[in-house]
Amino acid sequence: MSNELAANLSLLCSHYPSIADVCRRLDINRQQFNKYLNGSSRPSRHNMRRISDFFGVTEAEIMLESGQFEMLLNVRRRPVQDQALSLPLKYLDELYRHSQSLERYVGYYYRYFFSFGHAGLVIRSLASIYERDGHYYWKNIEVHWDLANGRTYTVNKYEGVVFFLADRIYIMECEALQKMSLTQLTLYPNYHLPFRRIRGIQTGGPVRRGRRPGASKVLLEYLGREVDTREALRRSGLFAPDSPELPDQVVEQIRNIIGTGQYVLEVEEP
């Protein structure tokens, strides 16, 4: 059974850049994970749950005979036929037809929110809104740095679509590699010229948290239509709330507090 687990883990890891990247995302010791891969050790129940949640499979599935498991993954990744796409594309097309122009919001942003997977820390990532053939799209890159040596230890990439409906900006993003997590942002538009910040709420179920969904306030800081992306990514990462790297008032605008007499997380209109 350990041999089946080892083979299935190896197959799952092949969809990532490296074993080290998987270990960093899982926050599991590389040496220990290698024992799972070579079949000399089996994960504890806690680690088995974490691994299963991360890869989007059940504990029973990951223990299947390796041939069956590979067939299961192939079925899940099989291209969707045009007929099966017709109904989803119909609704997507309707949303695009009702969406207003987002031309003034095209450009690069820093995205700020309290991390779902690193308690108490603020994520600053580099995002962009861009137009193609009359439709608007979204890209977001999270880079986490090892401060000891200045190297990256995790890079997460997300892609999605952007709509401007009923005086709200909606962004739906998907983790770009495994396609296993969706996050939705609902933002207030900003009509000031020039505008600096857009804020709202985001909901989703990040992989690092397992199956638990979450919600948080989010803020986009406009950087411009052209930026030095290498420098902007270098300034991305995880920060303590009192870090001098974070701009004034950002932390207060993204702090997740449900006040007395309130029962849901809300963001006041600017």
Side-chain angles (χ1 to χ4, degrees), residues 107-247:
Y108 290 87
Y109 297 82
Y110 274 139
R111 173 185 183 179
Y112 298 91
F113 62 96
F114 273 94
S115 171
F116 288 74
H118 301 82
L121 298 182
V122 174
I123 289 182
R124 174 162 66 189
S125 61
L126 180 64
S128 65
I129 294 175
Y130 64 98
E131 183 269 340
R132 184 172 296 166
D133 298 327
H135 296 158
Y136 293 89
Y137 301 94
W138 165 266
K139 286 187 178 180
N140 179 55
I141 302 176
E142 295 177 0
V143 180
H144 300 170
W145 298 93
D146 185 338
L147 299 180
N149 57 29
R151 297 179 180 176
T152 62
Y153 68 87
T154 301
V155 178
N156 299 320
K157 297 181 180 181
Y158 303 86
E159 297 178 351
V161 292
V162 191
F163 304 102
F164 192 1
L165 303 165
D167 206 34
R168 295 291 182 271
I169 297 172
Y170 295 93
I171 300 172
M172 181 72 75
E173 69 174 8
C174 176
E175 190 273 328
L177 184 62
Q178 287 289 294
K179 307 293 190 297
M180 293 194 306
S181 67
L182 288 172
T183 302
Q184 180 189 309
L185 289 72
T186 303
L187 307 163
Y188 289 111
N190 189 322
Y191 296 109
H192 294 100
L193 289 174
F195 74 92
R196 286 188 58 212
R197 293 174 178 175
I198 311 172
R199 56 179 177 161
I201 283 180
Q202 61 183 20
T203 60
V207 171
R208 190 179 175 89
R209 280 172 58 92
R211 292 187 172 92
R212 292 180 296 160
S216 71
K217 296 181 181 179
V218 61
L219 183 144
L220 302 185
E221 179 186 29
Y222 186 63
L223 302 178
R225 296 213 166 198
E226 300 292 337
V227 299
D228 183 338
T229 54
R230 180 174 295 183
E231 174 63 18
L233 286 171
R234 191 189 65 79
R235 297 185 61 213
S236 302
L238 288 164
F239 300 89
D242 59 355
S243 170
E245 290 287 327
L246 299 178

Side-chain angles (χ1 to χ4, degrees), residues 92-110:
L92 186 61
D93 183 61
E94 288 182 358
L95 287 174
Y96 271 126
R97 284 193 290 106
H98 286 85
S99 179
Q100 303 172 55
S101 173
L102 285 152
E103 182 61 25
R104 73 189 304 268
Y105 297 101
V106 167
Y108 290 87
Y109 297 82
Y110 274 139

